[in-house]
Amino acid sequence: MDFDKDMAQPKKKLPNKSLLLAACAACIGGTFQYGYNVSVINAPTLHVQNFINQTWRERYQTNISVDALTLLWSTIVSIFTVGGLVGVTVGGTLSVKLGRKGTLLVNNIFALTAALLMGLSYPTGLFELLVVGRFFTGVNAGIGLCVQPLYLGEIAPTAFRGAMGMGTSISITVGILSGQVIGLKEILGREEHWPILLSTTCVPAFLQLLTLPWFPESPRYLLIDKGDDKGCKKALKQLHGLAGCDGERDDIEKERNNLRDFQAKKPWELFTDRSVRWQLLTIMLLNAAQQLNGINAIYFYAEYLFTQSGIPADKIPYVTVGTGACECVTALTCGLLIDRLGRKVLITGGYVLMSICCILFTLTLSFQDASPVVPYFSMACLFAFILSFGLGPGGVTNILTTELFTQTARPAAYMIAGSLNWLSFFLIGLVFPFVVIGLQQYCFLVFLAVCSLTATYIFFVIPETKNKTFVEIQNDFKSLRHRKAHNGDGAEPTLF
């Protein structure tokens, strides 16, 4: 009998098809939109600037100044981060009121509005519509980055929570690659097509509106937040099948019993809650480090290195597509490894490898003119850095934000983590050019410090969360607090 059970075990480990389809439906209109809108804006840069100049000339009978044009274009690009910050601050609240699935569906209104505004900018001669449209794409991306990981983490069984959580990272990289491919001149990269190119953000929105309604709301949200026992059972059966729904139901029931009489927390309540102090500090550090670890600086240097390596300017977009494809493969690889090696191994290893790359990158940039071969070593460091980021911080950070909190604190945690992530994204875009001017190639020593310190913190503080329920992870942090405390304030109860 035991032999029969062992033989049957591998079959039970396969995820339900409905679960995978639900994840795809959530991703296509969620974090895919973030990656897509980050990359798609790069291709029509010159075309949009020509449109602004033409519109300015028609309005004021003079050409726009270089400084004013640069300011307007920078506003169009950077307003996306402002919208993202707004989106993430309301995303957690909406996910509690409308549910995870409901919020994702409503979020498509922002994408459709953005597509309409940006598409109408050229025929109406109003470049201001591009600013408003990009703001709405940012709001859409901010809500998606906040709510989609919540949905994936809550519908996934414990054994597949890591792989399912990697759907966030995979969909971002696929979105980036899609934006790069669609922006090639052979598709929609020509000057006459740029309004259509920017309007294609409506396609993922329509796809999600057509597919996601067929799948259920998060079972955890239904049972713990809404007390809908019948709805929870129905959702579990659809997502996990008859064989897997009972075990997941027991896990959710245990968490609900520990959270009985607790309501969803507000972000400011987490800062005063000592029981989640280490979890909050951890996700704040990891989300800030995700943007400040140098990954954005690497992309800043990419075009310079491609040029230095002798790649013709008209071929650089195709090399960039290759870089995007490399990121997708890395994210998929991480998705396969994360439930085998664990979160801690991957994210610590990623930051250690990035630290090594920062040292090598500084050396190769310092001796860039020493030999014609050196720029190729710099490119190798660039790709190695991107691969290391994708295998560790790029994918694992969002998963840990889901796993380190229970149901009542999770939406508020995502609001805090997401806000810090977007603020760090904005800060690095604002400050990095001045850091480069001041430190030149030695700017990567700053990122070396960030990566090495983050790796050290993870190694000593964060417990492994692989194959653990949310309640078990909370108990691990309770043990950590007891070890760190010098003066006993009374033992905290263990969750059962």
Side-chain angles (χ1 to χ4, degrees), residues 164-219:
M164 287 285 290
M166 278 303 300
T168 297
S169 179
I170 292 169
S171 59
I172 289 174
T173 56
V174 171
I176 291 172
L177 178 61
S178 300
Q180 292 167 342
V181 172
I182 296 295
L184 293 175
K185 63 181 180 181
E186 289 83 358
I187 304 179
L188 291 177
R190 296 187 181 277
E191 185 164 7
E192 62 270 22
H193 294 148
W194 72 260
I196 301 173
L197 175 62
L198 296 183
S199 296
T200 51
T201 188
C202 68
V203 176
F206 280 125
L207 287 175
Q208 185 173 75
L209 288 171
L210 289 172
T211 56
L212 190 57
W214 297 96
F215 299 99
E217 178 57 85
S218 158

Side-chain angles (χ1 to χ4, degrees), residues 293 295 326-327 330-331 334 345-358 380-396 451:
N293 58 28
I295 187 65
C326 183
E327 289 183 81
T330 306
C334 185
V345 170
L346 285 177
I347 194 168
T348 306
Y351 273 116
V352 169
L353 290 174
M354 290 165 71
S355 300
I356 296 171
C357 289
C358 283
C381 290
L382 182 146
F383 280 101
F385 193 97
I386 292 172
L387 290 172
S388 302
F389 176 80
L391 281 173
V396 181
C451 292

Side-chain angles (χ1 to χ4, degrees), residues 384-459:
F385 193 97
I386 292 172
L387 290 172
S388 302
F389 176 80
L391 281 173
V396 181
T397 301
N398 275 321
I399 296 171
L400 288 176
T401 307
T402 298
E403 292 183 327
L404 299 190
F405 295 88
T406 51
Q407 190 76 9
T408 55
R410 199 173 294 126
Y414 262 101
M415 291 170 70
I416 294 170
S419 298
L420 197 56
N421 198 302
W422 282 98
L423 284 171
S424 300
F425 185 21
F426 178 77
L427 179 66
I428 199 69
L430 186 68
V431 173
F432 180 69
F434 300 100
V435 175
V436 172
I437 292 171
L439 298 178
Q440 298 182 6
Q441 70 270 24
Y442 299 107
C443 67
F444 284 93
L445 296 179
V446 176
F447 303 125
L448 168 64
V450 173
C451 292
S452 56
L453 289 173
T454 304
T456 303
Y457 177 88
I458 294 168
F459 182 80

